[in-house]
Amino acid sequence: MKMTELPIVEGLVRLCADGWQQGWHERNGGNVTYRLTREEIEAARIRLTRLPGEWKALGISLPELGGEWFLATGSGKFFRNVPLCPEDALCLVELNEAGDSWRLRWGLCNGGKPTSELAAHLLNHSVRKAATGGACRVMYHAHPAHIVALTFLEELTDKAISRALWQSETEAPMVFPGGVGVVGCMVPGSMELARASSEKMKEYDAVVWAHHGLFASGPDFDTAFGLMHTVEKAAQVRVLVTNAGGARQQITDEEIRAIAEGCGVQIREEFLL
Ligand code: 13P
Ligand code: ZN
């Protein structure tokens, strides 16, 4: 079995292809990382054909992720090209025990480096790994147009954006009853954005990046992709209704509570009136 036939590589390639088809990844927009299990590291290790790359400083220290391996998209790689040549567009990265350096184990066969948002991904992995008892493994960043549009229409607070989404589609309070975090407009790839996101990730499994996109996490590719899709769909309905002249009615706070209760999830009550 080749590296590209490993289920985790196939899963990540499929997510990239699906995200591209949704229109969420213009050019090189977006990035994904997956934190491997011990078994997946061993399955990958025996298929490696190259010597490891040089250790490179991360610029941050995350000992809680020491020794972990991550499958990631490469910086500047176009999502639409990922299925054509995963060995070029993707990479497998190993962190040292101190969690302050990384080295390349596979991928980027034509050169390059991991996503420019690697610091954000790793900080978020660290926070979500702790928050979920190790269950969270996927970080997915995309540029869906309607969630970006919503950040021009609504107040940029966790409460305003979460409530606007819940009010727009009954699926929203079911899929993200905890709401979404929101960070302001910051330089892509910056440590400021990485740190602000990971602060929000302590409480939320998805964070809206104002005028930029969305960061969604989950235990597997389906859950992270599904969260991205559901947030974006609710944003799309909100924007469609706004475009059509505004809502005559919307899902009320009482209805949001009833939906959450009906499917046995805990709604973040302080976001309701
Ligand atoms: P990368 O190509 O470096 O992953 O950057 C894309 C992006 O969306 C930055 O926020
Ligand atoms: Zn981006």
Side-chain angles (χ1 to χ4, degrees):
M1 193 195 272
K2 295 196 304 186
M3 276 293 292
T4 48
E5 290 166 353
L6 287 176
I8 51 167
V9 179
E10 287 184 343
L12 194 136
V13 169
R14 178 169 173 235
L15 179 144
C16 292
D18 288 350
W20 159 252
Q21 278 178 0
Q22 291 294 328
W24 301 339
H25 299 286
E26 76 291 343
R27 205 174 179 282
N28 64 306
N31 25 73
V32 198
T33 53
Y34 173 81
R35 185 170 62 82
L36 277 69
T37 64
R38 288 286 131 200
E39 296 73 40
E40 287 161 347
I41 292 175
E42 292 322 312
R45 199 195 298 273
I46 58 171
R47 288 173 176 84
L48 299 176
T49 52
R50 277 192 320 205
L51 289 172
E54 296 286 301
W55 287 107
K56 294 190 176 143
L58 260 179
I60 42 172
S61 181
L62 297 167
E64 63 279 19
L65 295 182
E68 301 255 25
W69 291 37
F70 295 86
L71 191 60
T73 47
S75 186
K77 304 290 183 181
F78 290 24
F79 265 50
R80 67 187 284 260
N81 292 338
V82 171
L84 300 182
C85 191
E87 314 59 358
D88 170 55
L90 306 182
C91 53
L92 189 57
V93 162
E94 176 186 6
L95 296 197
N96 64 351
E97 286 304 323
D100 61 5
S101 302
W102 65 274
R103 63 180 179 177
L104 185 65
R105 301 304 307 256
W106 171 82
L108 298 176
C109 63
N110 297 311
K113 54 184 182 166
T115 170
S116 59
E117 305 287 7
L118 188 63
H121 280 256
L122 294 179
L123 276 165
N124 288 339
H125 271 294
S126 151
V127 165
R128 292 311 298 166
K129 182 184 169 186
T132 62
C136 181
R137 297 201 169 267
V138 178
M139 290 292 154
Y140 178 28
H141 166 56
H143 298 173
H146 299 93
I147 191 71
V148 176
L150 202 69
T151 65
F152 293 91
L153 298 172
E154 305 288 340
E155 194 191 340
L156 288 177
T157 62
D158 303 353
K159 178 175 177 173
I161 300 269
S162 298
R163 203 151 166 269
L165 294 167
W166 289 344
Q167 286 168 342
S168 303
E169 201 195 14
T170 57
E171 201 69 13
M174 289 163 63
V175 174
F176 48 98
V180 294
V182 180
V183 300
C185 185
M186 295 178 201
V187 177
S190 65
M191 274 311 295
E192 185 197 14
L193 178 55
R195 292 210 185 279
S197 295
S198 65
E199 276 307 306
K200 294 290 181 182
M201 279 274 176
K202 288 179 182 165
E203 282 196 61
Y204 302 99
D205 51 13
V207 177
V208 177
W209 289 2
H211 317 333
H212 181 158
L214 181 68
F215 217 106
S217 65
D220 51 45
F221 294 120
D222 277 355
T223 309
F225 188 89
L227 179 56
M228 180 75 68
H229 208 174
T230 311
V231 172
E232 168 58 4
K233 176 67 76 69
Q236 181 176 17
V237 173
R238 184 80 175 187
V239 171
L240 281 172
V241 171
T242 305
N243 272 348
R248 186 186 291 264
Q249 63 273 318
Q250 59 201 4
I251 305 174
T252 65
D253 285 350
E254 271 320 301
E255 286 165 340
I256 292 170
R257 281 192 191 95
I259 292 162
E261 223 177 282
C263 59
V265 296
Q266 187 67 43
I267 199 81
R268 191 182 291 265
E269 184 62 35
E270 72 258 29
F271 285 179
L272 301 177
L273 294 181

